[in-house]
Amino acid sequence: SIIMSSFLTPRQYAGGLLNLPYRGLQPPNIGCLKPITQLADINTLSPLVGDTLEPLTDAQISQISQAAGQVFASKTYFNLLCALGDINVAYAPNKEGAGEIFHTGATYTIVMRMKVLGSSVGWSQGVVNYTLIHEMGHVLDNRTGLGQKMAQNNTITGCFPTYPLKTYCAFHIIPETFAEANTIYINPGCYPGAATDPDFAACGTFNFNREQPQLYDWIRTNVFGGEI
């Protein structure tokens, strides 16, 4: 069973094991998120995600921990996401893009890409928060079917204006709306400075609660249990 007290808060994590070299040891999970740092895991996962992975650094793990802490503050969310086991979080620096998920059976891997870690936007905490929670939303949807339940209980007419890949989203409206609703609920405005990026210009004007109050309330109740 999943025990909330086993989740290391960002402060505990940053003040403890993060300041030590790995020395070949796997760092502890962040809730049910498993940071990929070990060569054996990288060799196994790289062919599955079609890219060359690199080990996450201490600093990157700290920022992933802070991002996950935003949603793991909700016990409802934690239990929904983590009931089916660990989720790998890996870094693929060689391709454009922000994030993506892959799965083999029940094993999921979130891959953080160049748009998050590279120089085009930078490894800023806000970008990590926005990207990781969006990708966690996809895993949550796949594990629980909440995206379809969202569509059955709300009028979904199109993609969120904050979602940058408009053409792709047109063919994946329900899963992308669900994942984007998760992250915009937690991160209004996407991330600091987003509106200056042409791909994210709508982040400066879209107000989720005001413009889609029914969906906002549904996400608050059914994803976060009204806890955050």
Side-chain angles (χ1 to χ4, degrees):
S1 62
I2 302 296
I3 302 172
M4 278 293 291
S5 61
S6 68
F7 171 63
L8 293 172
T9 67
R11 182 171 300 172
Q12 289 171 320
Y13 199 87
L17 295 176
L18 252 178
N19 295 325
L20 299 175
Y22 289 134
R23 299 182 184 177
L25 299 176
Q26 170 66 30
N29 277 14
I30 303 163
C32 59
L33 302 183
K34 178 184 176 182
I36 297 302
T37 65
Q38 302 299 295
L39 183 61
D41 288 331
I42 287 171
N43 289 340
T44 298
L45 292 172
S46 289
L48 297 178
V49 304
D51 205 349
T52 301
L53 302 178
E54 289 187 3
L56 286 162
T57 67
D58 286 355
Q60 291 166 348
I61 294 170
S62 178
Q63 291 187 298
I64 288 167
S65 181
Q66 290 182 55
Q70 291 187 299
V71 285
F72 284 165
S74 163
K75 187 174 182 179
T76 297
Y77 180 97
F78 183 95
N79 289 333
L80 285 169
L81 181 72
C82 297
L84 294 181
D86 290 352
I87 301 160
N88 300 316
V89 182
Y91 171 37
N94 299 318
K95 287 185 179 178
E96 285 287 351
E100 195 171 1
I101 67 166
F102 299 86
H103 70 98
T104 303
T107 302
Y108 281 83
T109 300
I110 296 172
V111 176
M112 306 290 273
R113 294 196 182 280
M114 186 185 299
K115 185 75 169 179
V116 177
L117 306 183
S119 59
S120 58
V121 171
W123 182 227
S124 73
Q125 187 63 56
V127 175
V128 178
N129 295 348
Y130 170 83
T131 302
L132 183 66
I133 294 171
H134 179 99
E135 300 306 330
M136 290 168 73
H138 282 307
V139 179
L140 178 63
D141 182 17
N142 287 359
R143 284 184 163 184
T144 64
L146 277 170
Q148 287 296 329
K149 293 176 184 176
M150 172 197 72
Q152 292 165 5
N153 289 277
N154 297 273
T155 301
I156 309 298
T157 58
C159 301
F160 261 47
T162 57
Y163 186 72
L165 304 177
K166 309 301 184 189
T167 301
Y168 176 83
C169 189
F171 295 94
H172 305 86
I173 290 176
I174 292 174
E176 292 303 339
T177 295
F178 179 78
E180 193 71 359
N182 276 235
T183 198
I184 296 301
Y185 178 87
I186 296 294
N187 297 291
C190 304
Y191 59 88
T196 64
D197 183 329
D199 290 337
F200 291 91
C203 293
T205 59
F206 180 71
N207 184 306
F208 186 10
N209 190 18
R210 183 182 66 226
E211 298 185 37
Q212 297 192 34
Q214 180 182 349
L215 179 57
Y216 181 93
D217 287 343
W218 192 92
I219 292 291
R220 178 177 59 188
T221 301
N222 293 278
V223 175
F224 297 108
E227 297 157 353
I228 54 178

